[in-house]
Amino acid sequence: MPVENLLGHEGEGFKVAMSALDNGRYTVAAGAVGLIRACLEASLYYARERKTFGVDLGRHQLVKRMIALMAQRGEMARLLVYRAGWMKNQGLRNTRETSLAKWTACDAAFEAASDAVQIHGAYGYSDEYNVERYMRNAKGAVIYEGTREVHMLMQADYALGYRSDKPLRCELPAYDAERWQAETGNW
Ligand SMILES: Cc1cc2nc3c(=O)[nH]c(=O)nc-3n(C[C@H](O)[C@H](O)[C@H](O)COP(=O)(O)OP(=O)(O)OC[C@H]3O[C@@H](n4cnc5c(N)ncnc54)[C@H](O)[C@@H]3O)c2cc1C
């Protein structure tokens, strides 16, 4: 390859490719937050409609537990995604935070989807309701953009001090609202 076609420095391609994961993983994490919300909304609707033993399904304590966990994990995942997004907007290295957001949000989405299927009973297992699709989609997100195991290992290594993030030679620039609006016409 002619030297004038070289992008960046020789030998840093792998680092550049790895840093791109911080962006793909972020979008997957954000999508998982949306999936938890969809699971919660479907479960709330069904739990108020369906009656068992003479009361709304949602009146049973163990059903409440599943609803409560969905709400709790959804907010935890949302806040971790917001933190990673805030760091990106500042132009800060965010590999650790994005990994934690991706792992947490995707695991939470799978738990939420599994519980949403459970709340819907046999209907949840069928394709008459959306929740079975949510469960399959959530499982995919636990596998791609770094499997659950990859993120667990990364987070353990950060905690143990075996891994740390240094600023990249070329970070993405901080978010500049005026420039974005001028160049795209979007608000
Ligand atoms: C729905 C879906 C969409 C996808 N889309 C894309 C895409 O667009 N582009 C793309 O490039 N790839 C895509 N993938 C592939 C995905 O990135 C890989 O499936 C993923 O990286 C895991 O690799 P693998 O399937 O080879 O599993 P393997 O590497 O065989 O691993 C199998 C399991 O063992 C675990 N494991 C493996 N090694 C270790 C270890 N050392 N320690 C602990 N656990 C370990 C893994 O975490 C995993 O759970 C997609 C996958 C799915 C399910």
Side-chain angles (χ1 to χ4, degrees), residues 140 143-145 147 149-150 153:
I143 295 172
Y144 55 67
E145 287 289 337
T147 62
E149 289 71 31
V150 163
L153 293 172

Side-chain angles (χ1 to χ4, degrees), residues 21-162:
L21 291 173
D22 292 344
N23 303 311
R25 287 173 178 175
Y26 179 69
T27 64
V28 172
V33 170
L35 194 56
I36 299 168
R37 180 172 167 180
C39 291
L40 185 57
E41 286 176 1
S43 299
L44 292 177
Y45 182 81
Y46 193 79
R48 289 180 183 131
E49 287 289 305
R50 165 83 169 144
K51 312 276 184 243
T52 64
F53 299 94
V55 294
D56 290 355
L57 199 61
R59 293 285 175 191
H60 300 299
Q61 285 185 336
L62 291 177
V63 175
K64 287 184 184 181
R65 178 180 185 275
M66 291 188 272
I67 298 282
L69 287 174
M70 266 183 232
Q72 177 201 36
R73 291 170 178 158
E75 287 305 295
M76 284 162 49
R78 180 195 303 278
L79 290 172
L80 288 174
V81 169
Y82 283 169
R83 179 177 67 167
W86 180 86
M87 292 180 75
K88 288 174 191 296
N89 280 352
Q90 307 300 309
L92 298 170
R93 181 91 195 259
N94 54 84
T95 303
R96 181 177 188 170
E97 293 77 12
T98 297
S99 159
L100 186 61
K102 192 276 178 188
W103 169 37
T104 305
C106 293
D107 265 15
F110 184 73
E111 292 298 326
S114 177
D115 280 349
V117 168
Q118 193 73 21
I119 286 171
H120 284 69
Y123 276 131
Y125 185 76
S126 77
D127 61 5
E128 289 183 50
Y129 288 78
N130 287 327
V131 289
E132 63 85 26
R133 180 166 51 84
Y134 296 162
M135 192 166 78
R136 185 160 32 87
N137 290 349
K139 193 58 178 175
V142 173
I143 295 172
Y144 55 67
E145 287 289 337
T147 62
R148 174 182 62 197
E149 289 71 31
V150 163
H151 291 291
M152 279 184 175
L153 293 172
M154 284 174 68
Q155 293 301 321
D157 284 348
Y158 281 122
L160 287 160
Y162 299 161

